[in-house]
Each structure stands twice: as structure tokens, then as C-alpha cells.
Amino acid sequence: MFFRKKHNQLIGLDLGSHTIKYCELIEKKRIWILKGFGMKTIPRDIIQEGMVRDPEVLAKEIEFLLKRHNVTEKNVAISVSGFSVIVKRITMSQMTDAELRSRINYEAEQYIPFDINDVNLDFQILGDGEKPNTMNVVLVAAKKDMVIDYISMLNSVGLNAAIIDVDCFTLQNIYTHNYSSEETVALIDIGASKTNINIIQGKQSLQLKDLSIGGDTLTQDIRNRIDCSYEDAEEIKFLGQSDLMSQEDFQDVKTSALQYWISEFKRTIDSFVTANPDKMISKVLLSGGSSNISGFYQSMTEELKIPVEPLNPFQMFDMSSSNLDPEFIAKVAPQACVCMGLGIRRAGDK
């Protein structure tokens, strides 16, 4: 979103706090082909809350992943998230794209809680507002030092950040690529420490919200209940059984965490429906690694009274040439959404 390069081809590179992922997509005669996809677990604390804490180690992990899969493309699309990124949907007086660009710093100062000189700014005009002579706009601000850290780290292994996007928009991109419905849906991506909620209708974002909750909450709850390593707690979280923890204790911890998450999701959805009674949400689509926790979909559906389904980023792609195991693809689909959303970008996109 902030940096672009004329060369069109690139790879999607999702730099998560637990795993890094890449995908390479080719478009031929309007058919999108998945050429390659891979992922690798990285050591903890390399990336925290979207900030690169150990660029040297992260660079080596990326280099290893791409070499293992024989990736030669040097242009990459990455996305940023965390507390150094602010996304605001606002309503303002009608003006042209050029007029807004000349006023963007002034307009942003009213909504961005950072020094305007310390951030990269971008925007997108969504369309007419509810009131006459107004328009809806999405403002995006990312701290310059964070962006520079990512660019420098990638450059250290010969990669070029052709596009830097924002997680919530990459999810919207992959949704609109795979789903043609005009119904109103809620995209919920559950990360390690932060959850993004994007309520959209067709291709238009209606409400954006970040919540400071994520999968690490449940991992830490498990560790608080029993004396175990972070890795053991992660394994228990997804397998639901271990010699280290009784099934009763695990169910108690898991139920408490999921109930809290779901109550926060419900609060956001109810607030949207109250403000937009003519736009009923028809379904919720989940992504992120923690959406794989057993029983999550059923519990959410029962509480929200709305169908809850996984967001499938692969369904409109030809995967015949990727040599990837279908079972592997199905298993990693919730984790691959941001990566695939980056992979369909092309340098020069708005």
C-alpha cells in the first residue's frame, strides 16, 4: 500500500509471529494458478505485535524458506499489523482523489494518534457517504520506523518490498477473489495477539475493528494452569490432549477463553447491526491459526446465531501444478489467507 515497483511479478510473503509463509501465484488467461506455497515455524519473539525484534534471525528464516522451495523471484508483497498500524474508516466532505492527497496530512491528524511526521500515510476513497456531499474514506497510517525495519531486513537477503499492505485488506482481497456474493459478511482473523474484524458487503468495507485478543491468550492460560513450556502449551491448545494436562482442565481453560473471544466478537457484530439495521450479517468467515481450535465454529455459531465457516483462500485457484497434498492445503487454509491475499497483488496496484 505504501511502496510500489513497476515490475509486475511478485510473491506473497506473510510474516507472522509464529510462522512465515510464502505463495507464488500466476495468472494465465484469467485463470489463477498456485505455483507454490510453503510455511515455516520461526522462533518466538522474533516478531512481537507486528514489530521486528530480531531482523537478522528473521532474514535467515525467510532466506531458508525461499531457498527450500526454490523461489527465485525477488519482489515480494508483505503486510503489516499490530499497534504501530492504524486503520480508520471516516466520512468527510466530497473531494477528488488529488484534492484529498494534498490534504491527507491535515485530515489524518484528526484521527491518527501518532505524530503525523512519524508515519507513512495512505488512503482509499470507498464511495458516497450516507449524507449528501460526503464520502467514505479509509485512512491507513504505519509508523515509518517499523516500515523501514521491514524493508531493511528484506533488502539484507536481496528481496524488494514491492508492496506493503495491511492484514485486514489482504483478507478482504482474498475474500472478494474467491467469493462473488453481495451479502454482508464478517471476516474475523485471529492472530497471536490481535484479532482483525472487517465487515464487508460485496467489495466495500463497512466497519473495521481491531481487538487485543488472540491465540496466545489461550496458550498462556494453559501455562498458568500447568507447569509446561510454551511449545507444549501450543501443542495442547490444538490437540486438546496431553499427559501434562487432564482433559477436564483443558476443557475448562479452553471454554473460558473461547467464551471471552466470542463475547467480544458478538459485541462488535451487535454494534454494527444496531447502527445498520438494513444490513444483516449473513455469515462469519474465520481465518488465522487459532480458528482451528476444536469446537470453535460450533460455539460461535450457537452464540452468534449466524453461520460460522472457515475462509478458504484456495477455492478459486488451479492447484494442479503445485504438487501440494490436498490434506495439507485443507489443514493450512485458515493460516494461508493473508499470504494468498498478498500473492494476488501486483506491483503498482492501488
Side-chain angles (χ1 to χ4, degrees):
M1 200 158 189
F2 299 107
F3 300 87
R4 305 178 181 90
K5 192 173 184 292
K6 289 184 178 179
H7 180 61
N8 186 261
Q9 189 65 34
L10 50 74
I11 62 169
L13 186 62
D14 177 18
L15 305 176
S17 59
H18 288 178
T19 61
I20 56 175
K21 312 161 197 74
Y22 96 93
C23 68
E24 191 164 9
L25 306 173
I26 301 171
E27 186 181 16
K28 290 185 177 179
K29 298 180 180 179
R30 298 185 180 181
I31 296 176
W32 283 84
I33 300 167
L34 177 63
K35 181 180 177 182
F37 176 86
M39 58 192 297
K40 183 183 187 303
T41 302
I42 61 174
R44 289 187 62 216
D45 301 331
I46 291 180
I47 299 176
Q48 291 181 324
E49 297 179 350
M51 301 288 289
V52 180
R53 303 301 183 186
D54 194 332
E56 185 176 344
V57 172
L58 179 59
K60 289 179 180 178
E61 294 287 343
I62 294 170
E63 189 174 34
F64 180 87
L65 173 66
L66 299 183
K67 283 185 176 180
R68 186 175 69 187
H69 291 275
N70 300 313
V71 178
T72 58
E73 176 59 53
K74 299 301 182 183
N75 287 318
V76 301
I78 66 169
S79 62
V80 291
S81 63
F83 301 107
S84 293
V85 180
I86 301 295
V87 180
K88 289 283 188 180
R89 187 178 186 273
I90 65 172
T91 300
M92 55 189 301
S93 299
Q94 283 277 2
M95 63 182 72
T96 66
D97 187 279
E99 288 171 334
L100 180 54
R101 190 162 296 281
S102 68
R103 292 171 53 88
I104 186 64
N105 281 20
Y106 170 76
E107 296 293 341
E109 280 185 320
Q110 304 174 64
Y111 302 99
I112 305 301
F114 304 136
D115 186 324
I116 210 69
N117 296 310
D118 293 337
V119 299
N120 290 109
L121 284 171
D122 208 341
F123 67 88
Q124 185 165 354
I125 298 174
L126 300 177
D128 293 340
E130 296 293 325
K131 297 180 180 179
N133 301 316
T134 63
M135 62 183 184
N136 295 318
V137 176
V138 170
L139 287 177
V140 182
K143 284 200 169 180
K144 288 180 180 178
D145 55 355
M146 177 193 67
V147 173
I148 291 170
D149 285 346
Y150 275 103
I151 293 174
S152 299
M153 180 273 302
L154 292 168
N155 288 345
S156 72
V157 287
L159 298 175
N160 171 61
I163 288 178
I164 299 182
D165 210 330
V166 179
D167 281 1
C168 61
F169 296 134
T170 66
L171 290 166
Q172 185 173 335
N173 287 340
I174 201 61
Y175 167 78
T176 56
H177 183 88
N178 284 285
Y179 301 80
S180 59
S181 173
E182 290 296 317
E183 59 192 355
T184 303
V185 302
L187 307 180
I188 301 181
D189 182 66
I190 306 168
S193 60
K194 194 172 185 180
T195 292
N196 297 317
I197 301 179
N198 189 358
I199 299 176
I200 68 173
Q201 184 177 43
K203 295 184 178 182
Q204 183 175 5
S205 175
L206 303 177
Q207 180 169 310
L208 294 161
K209 188 173 182 63
D210 289 337
L211 300 174
S212 299
I213 55 177
D216 278 350
T217 306
L218 178 52
T219 304
Q220 190 57 49
D221 287 346
I222 293 171
R223 297 189 68 194
N224 290 340
R225 183 67 66 96
I226 61 172
D227 183 16
C228 70
S229 68
Y230 179 88
E231 290 72 22
D232 285 337
E234 279 284 290
E235 184 175 343
I236 293 170
K237 179 170 71 175
F238 290 108
L239 294 181
Q241 56 184 3
S242 170
D243 293 338
L244 299 173
M245 189 177 200
S246 70
Q247 187 66 220
E248 182 180 1
D249 278 349
F250 172 69
Q251 288 298 328
D252 183 47
V253 171
K254 183 184 79 168
T255 298
S256 177
L258 295 190
Q259 284 180 344
Y260 173 66
W261 296 357
I262 295 169
S263 69
E264 291 298 304
F265 302 160
K266 187 175 188 300
R267 193 191 313 275
T268 299
I269 290 173
D270 287 348
S271 175
F272 171 81
V273 172
T274 299
N276 302 271
D278 59 325
K279 293 182 172 64
M280 300 301 294
I281 295 175
S282 61
K283 70 174 66 172
V284 173
L285 294 174
L286 288 184
S287 60
S290 293
S291 66
N292 280 328
I293 295 171
S294 63
F296 199 1
Y297 289 89
Q298 181 179 350
S299 296
M300 278 194 68
T301 299
E302 291 173 354
E303 182 64 28
L304 299 180
K305 306 296 191 293
I306 302 172
V308 180
E309 304 170 4
L311 175 58
N312 182 2
F314 297 114
Q315 67 180 13
M316 295 300 291
F317 291 86
D318 179 353
M319 294 184 287
S320 59
S321 62
S322 66
N323 297 318
L324 292 169
D325 180 2
E327 289 188 10
F328 169 76
I329 287 293
K331 181 179 179 180
V332 302
Q335 296 171 268
C337 294
V338 168
C339 186
M340 291 291 287
L342 290 167
I344 61 174
R345 298 295 305 274
R346 290 297 177 257
D349 288 350
K350 172 61 179 176

